[in-house]
Amino acid sequence: MQIVETTNEGLKRAYTLTIPASSIEARIDAEVKKVAPQVRMPGFRPGKVPTNLIRKMHGASLHSEALNASLRESIDTLMRDKQLRPALQPKVDLAEGYEEGKDAEVTVELEVLPEITAPSIDGLALERLVVPVSDEALDESLAKLAGSQKSYKDAAKTKKAADGDQLIIDFVGSIDGVEFEGGKAEGAPLVLGSNQFIPGFEEQLVGVKTGEEKTITVTFPEDYPAENLKGKEAQFAITVQQVKTESETVVDEEFATSLGLESLDKLKELMKVQLEQESAGLTRTQMKRQLLDKLAADHDFEVPPTMVEAEFGQIWEQLTNEIAREENPEEGMKEIEAEKDDYRRIAERRVRLGLLLSEIGQANGVEVSQQEMRMLIQQAAQQYRQEDRQRFVDYVSQDPMAQAQLRAPLYEDKVVDFLFDKAEVTEREVTREELEAAIEAEEGGAEAKPAEKKAPAKKKAAAKKDAAEAEAPAAEADAPAEAAAEEKPAKKAPAKKAAAKADDAKAEGEDKPAKKPAAKKPAAKKADKD
Amino acid sequence: MAKKQEIDARHYDVILAPHITEKATLLSEFNAVVFKVARDATKPQVKEAIEAIYDRKVKGVNILVQKGKSKRWKGRPYSRTDVKKAIVTLVDGQDPIDITSGI
């Protein structure tokens, strides 16, 4: 086999390989010999078919198989000989005019992964900001929970419905005396002022009493989804069955039992655990950011442009989708056009961090075990309907690409955990506000430097994405898609400087929940690992 | 192809198909090829046809009729069709006939 290097610039490499016909021929012969004992043909006892006949019958398929095998093999040897680590699937082209019996000429184009000097993982100093759950916070969230569990009590017959009251109504809607589809309901609960119904509907019901019958006329809005109702005027004949007033929910034993718990203490305990998890998530986010910041600052190497391009393409698509849904797409387009370079930088940073993390993981033997993988698949399968689950599991266990997609976030998490273990972690107790402020402060600081602008906000997302990419270079995981999604609010923020911080904080908040499904690990488990 | 068109069509009525079996391949050692031929074909006809179609010299032709087995289906006896086979021996020193390419 002959290897000729045609390009070698930066991380790009191209080679021309020539595979001699004789080696392909030899492979076919070997293959024929292998299949001969199994071939059945009428007129022959099994396995007694002469080789020349086998060749006649299966020659074409055997040949293409042999050609593929020798292609693969020669590419493998190429990689080994030149010590290449391809970033993405190499592009392989068979020269035109190839026929059986001729030498095969193959051009291989690929991008290599940059040489990453095994990152030093010792001496990383991180600060863990811990938020103890305070009683006030507990009470507050309890109150919030109570507020969301509004209950309504039957009001006296004479009570006139006001804003905030709940009505139980029957209604029949008609246009020009003709009833229309979906315009009829019985016993429908409606909270006045909640704007659940079309505008004007609820307003006209203010002041009704229990048992009252009323006919109102409402105009459907122009942007109503149903085509035949748009902008039409409709009459609704309404019977009020009951007027209910809102009643305050008090946090007490009864409330706890109504939620299906044994006692108030139990409820409090649960709330506390939940809050702890929440703040643990924040803490982790903050630590991870610190870590990635440090890594990014310490390492700088060339990254494969196609990987960056793919990453960038994804961000871009996400953005354009987002903008298309906004009110004035043109303006939004302009805005992101102006920041195109920034997004490119972000993409590059993500790729770089991803490579770095996977490198660290590999160097230190971080692995995702079979068992964890199974669990991941199970969890991912939960999103599907019952009957599709088995199909999904089968699909994933057969498709290495899909597996990589699932594995990537977990792998990244594990690497980060590993680094946390290694790093010198100093613990500091802070309040939740301080923790949030710390996250914001970093953002603010970074924003000052234009080059680093916006980066911190999405570091986390970036890292996840990167890991995904590093894991499955060719595969575009859905983790990345999520990452991009999370990141959106953060990205918009710098554009609207004033709102930046608030938005960033929000992005941060979103980071966490989004992260969990992505990692497909129960929060508890994560907590253990920490 | 053009050459084939010159071949008289009647020759194709004589030679029906090559008979490819283990035994037939063993015969290739003796420069012989086996064909299924028409039920009413004669040795001279087969010889003529092979010489015309494959452009080879034929040394001799042996012919046999393989009688169809008698079978029963739903208790009723019937017999499979008879097949006439011709073992064609070629004159030494010629390329063997590639029977797998069909007629």
Side-chain angles (χ1 to χ4, degrees):
Chain A
M1 189 182 65
Q2 256 182 312
I3 302 173
V4 185
E5 190 174 68
T6 49
T7 334
N8 182 357
E9 50 175 52
L11 294 168
K12 276 202 171 113
R13 304 274 188 283
Y15 300 92
T16 308
L17 310 177
T18 316
I19 306 169
S22 58
S23 79
I24 300 176
E25 200 64 18
R27 208 177 270 276
I28 298 177
D29 280 343
E31 193 62 20
V32 167
K33 232 173 236 146
K34 217 170 75 192
V35 298
Q38 277 99 51
V39 176
R40 289 168 165 275
M41 208 186 272
F44 297 91
R45 286 170 291 160
K48 298 284 182 186
V49 184
T51 42
N52 61 342
L53 272 179
I54 296 180
R55 261 202 125 131
K56 269 265 153 52
M57 303 285 295
H58 305 293
S61 63
L62 284 180
H63 172 253
S64 63
E65 230 169 75
L67 183 62
N68 276 337
S70 39
L71 271 186
R72 253 197 315 277
E73 195 164 284
S74 56
I75 290 167
D76 280 355
T77 36
L78 170 72
M79 300 292 166
R80 238 191 346 265
D81 290 355
K82 308 269 175 188
Q83 308 222 317
L84 300 175
R85 296 198 309 163
L88 297 170
Q89 203 69 28
K91 208 172 126 220
V92 180
D93 275 326
L94 190 59
E96 262 177 51
Y98 172 75
E99 277 170 34
E100 195 173 342
K102 276 196 197 164
D103 291 358
E105 208 163 275
V106 187
T107 51
V108 182
E109 282 173 44
L110 64 130
E111 279 181 14
V112 293
L113 283 180
E115 286 296 319
I116 304 170
T117 42
S120 72
I121 46 168
D122 301 323
L124 278 175
L126 296 175
E127 198 177 36
R128 189 206 298 267
L129 302 180
V130 185
V131 185
V133 178
S134 64
D135 283 347
E136 293 93 68
L138 193 59
D139 286 345
E140 196 178 307
S141 55
L142 273 177
K144 218 183 274 173
L145 179 67
S148 65
Q149 300 271 333
K150 269 186 202 165
S151 58
Y152 290 92
K153 262 195 239 158
D154 289 0
K157 279 221 157 167
T158 50
K159 161 90 166 107
K160 283 186 178 178
D163 256 7
D165 287 352
Q166 193 188 37
L167 301 180
I168 306 292
I169 52 169
D170 301 341
F171 62 87
V172 180
S174 52
I175 295 177
D176 301 333
V178 186
E179 277 183 33
F180 56 87
E181 210 177 306
K184 200 174 166 182
E186 271 177 30
L190 167 65
V191 178
L192 293 185
S194 64
N195 290 329
Q196 276 173 330
F197 282 31
I198 49 174
F201 194 100
E202 288 162 23
E203 284 80 346
Q204 295 185 55
L205 285 178
V206 173
V208 292
K209 289 182 204 158
T210 300
E212 194 173 314
E213 276 174 35
K214 190 173 181 182
T215 305
I216 57 169
T217 310
V218 219
T219 315
F220 278 98
E222 285 297 339
D223 53 0
Y224 198 70
E227 198 61 41
N228 54 343
L229 300 178
K230 247 180 223 181
K232 290 268 178 64
E233 213 163 81
Q235 285 80 38
F236 284 94
I238 295 166
T239 316
V240 182
Q241 289 187 344
Q242 188 62 260
V243 178
K244 291 182 171 186
T245 49
E246 193 181 326
S247 69
E248 196 71 12
T249 316
V250 198
V251 181
D252 55 11
E253 292 284 336
E254 202 176 312
F255 175 59
T257 41
S258 78
L259 287 175
L261 294 171
E262 286 159 25
S263 64
L264 186 57
D265 286 343
K266 188 91 183 165
L267 176 65
K268 276 192 173 154
E269 212 171 279
L270 275 177
M271 279 314 265
K272 191 163 177 182
V273 170
Q274 201 181 333
L275 283 175
E276 265 164 10
Q277 267 172 15
E278 231 167 77
S279 59
L282 273 181
T283 306
R284 194 181 154 79
T285 308
Q286 192 266 349
M287 262 176 85
K288 197 161 172 176
R289 168 163 314 161
Q290 267 186 22
L291 173 71
L292 294 177
D293 260 346
K294 283 215 169 85
L295 285 179
D298 291 349
H299 299 86
D300 191 26
F301 49 83
E302 210 181 344
V303 291
T306 39
M307 276 169 86
V308 175
E309 210 46 49
E311 176 68 47
F312 175 73
Q314 222 161 37
I315 299 179
W316 196 247
E317 201 177 315
Q318 181 77 27
L319 280 175
T320 34
N321 278 348
E322 200 84 12
I323 278 175
R325 259 178 275 133
E326 268 172 29
E327 274 168 30
N328 42 1
E330 285 104 42
E331 212 166 287
M333 262 330 257
K334 249 183 247 158
E335 207 170 272
I336 59 167
E337 284 289 346
E339 290 170 9
K340 210 167 179 171
D341 278 352
D342 280 341
Y343 295 133
R344 202 170 286 278
R345 255 197 303 280
I346 291 161
E348 197 176 314
R349 186 196 157 93
R350 281 188 191 183
V351 172
R352 181 169 297 144
L353 276 174
L355 290 176
L356 203 55
L357 277 182
S358 80
E359 187 69 19
I360 295 172
Q362 260 164 29
N364 296 291
V366 177
E367 267 174 9
V368 175
S369 73
Q370 207 64 36
Q371 201 184 354
E372 282 167 322
M373 198 59 216
R374 254 201 307 279
M375 214 156 71
L376 273 184
I377 294 175
Q378 284 303 333
Q379 259 155 15
Q382 297 296 317
Q383 302 169 349
Y384 294 88
R385 277 176 306 153
Q386 195 71 41
E387 57 267 32
D388 290 341
R389 276 185 201 161
Q390 194 50 44
R391 271 226 323 263
F392 174 78
V393 171
D394 290 346
Y395 163 73
V396 170
S397 47
Q398 267 160 29
D399 190 351
M401 213 96 115
Q403 278 179 27
Q405 279 179 15
L406 282 178
R407 199 185 306 118
L410 175 60
Y411 185 73
E412 183 240 40
D413 241 23
K414 287 190 93 170
V415 174
V416 169
D417 279 333
F418 170 78
L419 287 174
F420 283 169
D421 283 349
K422 282 272 172 189
E424 290 165 29
V425 181
T426 46
E427 231 169 88
R428 188 154 64 95
E429 257 189 30
V430 291
T431 64
R432 194 190 174 93
E433 286 74 30
E434 274 168 4
L435 177 58
E436 273 164 8
I439 292 169
E440 271 174 40
E442 272 169 47
E443 256 146 45
E447 242 168 76
K449 294 179 273 168
E452 280 284 300
K453 185 166 141 194
K454 287 177 254 172
K458 46 204 71 95
K459 221 159 273 173
K460 176 122 179 249
K464 183 193 313 174
K465 159 75 217 225
D466 292 342
E469 189 137 320
E471 265 286 288
E476 287 309 335
D478 47 46
E482 270 171 42
E486 288 164 25
E487 183 179 296
K488 178 70 224 300
K491 209 172 284 162
K492 290 221 64 167
K496 301 167 191 154
K497 290 276 190 220
K501 295 230 165 139
D503 265 13
D504 276 353
K506 201 167 72 195
E508 214 31 63
E510 279 170 25
D511 239 12
K512 208 195 57 133
K515 156 108 210 166
K516 288 211 165 131
K520 316 245 150 65
K521 286 207 107 198
K525 188 136 196 246
K526 201 179 287 174
D528 288 349
K529 274 205 291 176
D530 288 345
Chain B
M1 279 293 131
K3 203 180 136 230
K4 282 242 162 128
Q5 274 158 9
E6 294 162 17
I7 302 167
D8 209 333
R10 73 195 155 94
H11 294 319
Y12 290 100
D13 292 337
V14 174
I15 311 293
L16 299 181
H19 185 64
I20 306 171
T21 61
E22 220 176 306
K23 201 168 174 182
T25 13
L26 287 177
L27 281 175
S28 62
E29 254 181 66
F30 308 104
N31 261 346
V33 203
V34 184
F35 292 94
K36 291 180 183 122
V37 294
R39 191 70 187 81
D40 55 357
T42 61
K43 285 180 184 180
Q45 276 175 349
V46 172
K47 180 175 177 174
E48 209 177 321
I50 296 294
E51 284 181 344
I53 293 171
Y54 291 106
D55 199 16
R56 307 281 204 291
K57 273 297 234 188
V58 173
K59 194 165 137 196
V61 177
N62 293 18
I63 275 188
L64 61 94
V65 177
Q66 182 191 302
K67 296 285 183 194
K69 293 178 179 178
S70 65
K71 295 270 172 184
R72 273 165 185 277
W73 191 67
K74 291 193 171 169
R76 277 188 60 190
Y78 71 98
S79 65
R80 289 182 175 175
T81 44
D82 302 347
V83 177
K84 186 177 259 189
K85 291 193 265 190
I87 301 162
V88 181
T89 318
L90 303 179
V91 171
D92 289 346
Q94 300 185 86
D95 292 340
I97 293 173
D98 183 9
I99 44 173
T100 50
S101 56
I103 293 182

